[in-house]
Amino acid sequence: MITSEPVGEWFWEPAPLVGPAGGGVLRAVGLLSGLADVLVACGLVTGEGAGWVVLVDRGAVGEPLFARRGVPPGEALVAAAGRADAVGLLPERLLNVGLELAGEWREAGAVRRAERLFTLRVEVWGEGAVLVALSAYADAWLTVDLRGRPQREVGEENAPRLAAALERISGVTGAPVDPGDPTRYARPAADGFADQGETGPEYDDAWGTFEVPARWRRLMKRLPGGPGDGDYESTTGQAVRYARVRCGERVLGFLWASDDGAAGYEPRNAAGAAAFEAGVPWLARLRSARLRGVRAPEALEELLGAAAEGRGGGSVLEPVVYGAVSLDALEELSGRS
């Protein structure tokens, strides 16, 4: 299953990158690109993704001196680093460069993909200190999935590649790996994750307990006005009907409704940030229908009709309606597909 928050993180502290001649930003991006190549060589990521370069004064972190986000890896990221380098990585300043990377894992003989399987970042203090961080966003490396179900074969098939990457990053950085603190989902270790088959997961259903509510809060923060009385109920114990929201051939999420008056949108985590961006206008349209007194099932039909007439705008709502035995089942689909 794919998460919107890290399942685990690992850290390294390489030698300083800042010298008297400057160029610290470009060297940081060079290190970042080299580490991304390690992940590619280990078969964890595809090399596709988006990066960022942010330079701040530590006394005013909310007002960046330079910021570029959504930058493709490669020449565009190097160019952004060059412009940040011209601003200057001086003492009392902090540089953050990183990449969100698409990646793949193997499950039941099939190759699965997520648009953000890992994030990799390099932080550099103007005085010279460096921190490298790697974050993972799936449970493919675990012997127990995020719902507490054993998946030893999945973990054993994928974990060696993660272990190899962690070891190679230590070699490139010249620093030992420091596993991050235990998360709600797993306990990171120097070679990947601790074997949950021996100790059992921290929570029986971390997915339902933490991930699903976190996704809802993330969507509500993006929706103008946040959650309100004008919205349909966001949970139901009944079966749901849903349609897929997509952009091109990629499914971004699922718009759903139930007969007891609930309706909402479930982002497809494998699609990354685009899944959350696509959900906002559809949730706004549901809110508009609710304020007009339209029942939830009819609101879904209304939006399907608007999409068929080409009035959906942006992402597309497929005209095919599916059924799920429960909202919980649809939420799990949104994390697995």
Side-chain angles (χ1 to χ4, degrees):
M1 299 184 76
I2 308 124
T3 57
S4 59
E5 299 178 342
V7 173
E9 296 183 300
W10 300 266
F11 302 92
W12 296 262
E13 295 184 17
L17 289 172
V18 178
V25 183
L26 287 166
R27 286 195 290 274
V29 168
L31 174 60
L32 178 72
S33 299
L35 297 177
D37 289 343
V38 168
L39 299 180
V40 172
C42 290
L44 294 175
V45 304
T46 64
E48 302 164 278
W52 66 86
V53 179
V54 179
L55 180 64
V56 300
D57 187 313
R58 295 205 300 272
V61 295
E63 301 175 359
L65 301 169
F66 179 89
R68 294 291 185 275
R69 297 180 175 85
V71 183
E75 294 182 2
L77 191 62
V78 173
R83 291 192 289 273
D85 214 38
V87 177
L89 180 53
L90 305 176
E92 302 302 322
R93 290 181 178 176
L94 175 64
L95 170 72
N96 187 319
V97 298
L99 287 166
E100 289 189 351
L101 293 163
E104 298 175 342
W105 71 96
R106 301 182 185 97
E107 187 174 344
V111 175
R112 309 291 185 184
R113 175 188 169 98
E115 298 307 310
R116 184 184 66 169
L117 192 58
F118 291 93
T119 60
L120 183 63
R121 73 179 189 274
V122 176
E123 296 180 358
V124 185
W125 282 255
E127 295 79 5
V130 181
L131 178 70
V132 171
L134 177 69
S135 305
Y137 292 84
D139 64 2
W141 338 104
L142 307 180
T143 55
V144 178
D145 77 5
L146 298 186
R147 307 217 79 164
R149 299 170 298 206
Q151 56 168 23
R152 182 164 292 278
E153 291 183 359
V154 174
E156 290 177 347
E157 186 173 13
N158 294 288
R161 292 180 293 120
L162 176 59
L166 297 176
E167 183 177 8
R168 290 185 61 178
I169 291 175
S170 291
V172 171
T173 60
V177 61
D178 177 15
D181 293 334
T183 68
R184 296 163 171 172
Y185 309 115
R187 183 182 296 274
D191 60 351
F193 289 98
D195 187 352
Q196 294 174 291
E198 297 177 358
T199 61
E202 186 72 19
Y203 300 94
D204 289 336
D205 183 13
W207 171 265
T209 303
F210 301 112
E211 173 64 16
V212 171
R215 297 194 314 177
W216 183 82
R217 289 191 296 271
R218 182 175 173 182
L219 283 166
M220 289 300 104
K221 285 181 180 179
R222 291 169 173 261
L223 192 64
D229 295 336
D231 295 322
Y232 294 105
E233 290 293 326
S234 60
T235 61
T236 178
Q238 294 190 4
V240 300
R241 299 171 67 246
Y242 68 92
R244 301 189 298 188
V245 174
R246 62 178 175 83
C247 180
E249 298 301 317
R250 184 168 56 154
V251 176
L252 300 178
F254 308 94
L255 196 69
W256 62 270
S258 64
D259 287 338
D260 62 349
Y265 170 85
E266 294 302 324
R268 178 176 171 261
N269 280 5
F276 290 85
E277 294 168 4
V280 174
W282 293 107
L283 287 170
R285 290 166 187 143
L286 284 177
R287 174 176 290 179
S288 175
R290 173 68 174 78
L291 292 174
R292 288 186 285 107
V294 181
R295 293 181 63 251
E298 285 73 29
L300 178 60
E301 294 295 334
E302 183 179 282
L303 290 175
L304 285 164
E309 295 172 14
R311 294 186 285 113
S315 57
V316 174
L317 189 64
E318 291 184 351
V320 180
V321 177
Y322 302 89
V325 294
S326 65
L327 178 57
D328 180 76
L330 179 60
E331 290 166 345
E332 177 159 339
L333 173 65
S334 70
R336 283 195 171 278
S337 58

